[in-house]
Amino acid sequence: MSDVIVVIGSGAIAQAIARRVSVAKKILLADIKLETAQAVEETLKKSGFDVSTTHVDVACRASIDALVATATALGEVKGVIHTAGLSPSQSAGQPLLRVDLYGTAVVFEAFGKVITAGGSGVVIGSQSSHRLAVDALSQKAMDELALLSPEALLELPWIKAIDDSLYAYQIAKRGNAQRVIAEAVKWGKRGARINCISAGIIYTPLAYDELTSAERGEYYRNMLANSPAGRGGTPDEIGDLAEFLFRPKGTYISGSDILIDGGVTASIKYP
């Protein structure tokens, strides 16, 4: 049977990672917009990759379960690349939490039951979660984000009270990083690893939504200008880091949250 790399989301970052870790493997590309995934499928096939596509809605457990079934029918799941999500400019707080927090927790749980030995998973987090104050969340809240069932997460009173989309995004991405710590233990029992990449502003359509947003665009543009790198990142730079995590040189890394933001967080904390 083929080794399968499941790619959730078909944007520029997903493609950059898939190109680096999927040679001689089967790619299952899943997106809420099937036509978007199919366009990417055509491009990757012309580059020599073995690709198939399917629909997935990460806000729906049944849809994720169906994705797992499709993937395991193709072969052994050797990798999971989870990039799907909403930005603060694309959604209100609660719908965003349903996708970015709940959906990610279900993806970890569902694929953690089928990932094969030697397999690896990566989720794209955000440097925005590193801007939360150190005391923004209690240890109890951090443990809840790491350990509660996905359904129970959405029922937490403090989660249900979040209205602001930016704060919802920060909590969701912090939750993803916390969840990775707990899931690394479960995945490790199957001989697999999982990590979070907390990306800065990477030049993608989603990032351009933020950079041109009337509400936060100027803040983000200044943030980049004042950072040590003085620029945003590229999908290929995220792909390079993800490749290291997937390859043999990264096999001692699991349960980690790796910040890659050109020094933006550093310049905010210590301007």
Side-chain angles (χ1 to χ4, degrees):
M1 296 183 74
S2 300
D3 286 342
V4 179
I5 304 294
V6 180
V7 184
I8 304 172
S10 53
I13 291 175
Q15 294 175 53
I17 300 173
R19 284 176 175 272
R20 285 163 170 78
V21 304
S22 304
V23 174
K25 297 180 174 65
K26 176 77 175 179
I27 299 174
L28 177 59
L29 185 59
D31 200 295
I32 194 167
K33 295 180 179 178
L34 185 57
E35 64 276 13
T36 301
Q38 289 170 336
V40 174
E41 175 189 19
E42 183 177 355
T43 299
L44 289 174
K45 280 185 172 180
K46 288 179 179 178
S47 298
F49 291 95
D50 181 4
V51 190
S52 60
T53 59
T54 190
H55 171 270
V56 70
D57 177 359
V58 296
C60 173
R61 177 179 282 277
S63 184
I64 294 170
D65 288 342
L67 175 62
V68 172
T70 301
T72 53
L74 292 173
E76 294 188 336
V77 177
K78 203 73 172 182
V80 180
I81 302 164
H82 183 33
T83 70
L86 295 170
S87 78
S89 294
Q90 294 175 318
S91 173
Q94 288 299 308
L96 187 150
L97 287 163
R98 178 85 188 183
V99 171
D100 290 15
L101 180 65
Y102 168 82
T104 300
V106 176
V107 166
F108 290 170
E109 176 188 294
F111 279 99
K113 296 175 181 177
V114 300
I115 192 76
T116 59
S120 185
V122 67
V123 61
I124 302 303
S126 173
Q127 54 91 12
S128 188
S129 69
H130 289 256
R131 295 207 303 274
L132 286 172
V134 174
D135 59 351
L137 295 173
S138 67
Q139 187 60 52
K140 179 176 181 291
M142 298 281 272
D143 291 342
E144 288 171 339
L145 289 172
L147 298 170
L148 288 182
S149 73
E151 285 74 19
L153 284 175
L154 293 181
E155 293 304 315
L156 286 169
W158 66 274
I159 290 290
K160 294 174 75 172
I162 296 174
D163 290 323
D164 179 74
S165 61
L166 177 58
Y167 185 59
Y169 182 75
Q170 291 174 324
I171 290 296
K173 296 303 184 181
R174 175 66 67 84
N176 296 166
Q178 287 300 117
R179 199 90 184 175
V180 157
I181 299 172
E183 288 293 331
V185 178
K186 299 176 185 177
W187 284 46
K189 293 177 180 178
R190 298 183 60 87
R193 300 174 297 109
I194 185 169
N195 291 288
C196 177
I197 294 176
S198 282
I201 295 179
I202 308 301
Y203 291 123
T204 65
L206 185 149
Y208 279 110
D209 284 343
E210 296 300 315
L211 288 167
T212 58
S213 121
E215 185 178 357
R216 285 181 290 271
E218 184 177 2
Y219 172 77
Y220 285 131
R221 292 191 296 273
N222 288 336
M223 189 167 63
L224 290 181
N226 294 325
S227 71
R231 63 173 177 84
T234 66
D236 285 325
E237 288 171 303
I238 303 302
D240 289 341
L241 174 56
E243 181 181 14
F244 179 82
L245 293 174
F246 269 76
R247 298 298 187 193
K249 289 184 178 180
T251 53
Y252 200 54
I253 305 173
S254 193
S256 293
D257 174 27
I258 302 173
L259 178 64
I260 173 171
D261 71 345
V264 164
T265 300
S267 64
I268 290 174
K269 290 188 175 181
Y270 300 108

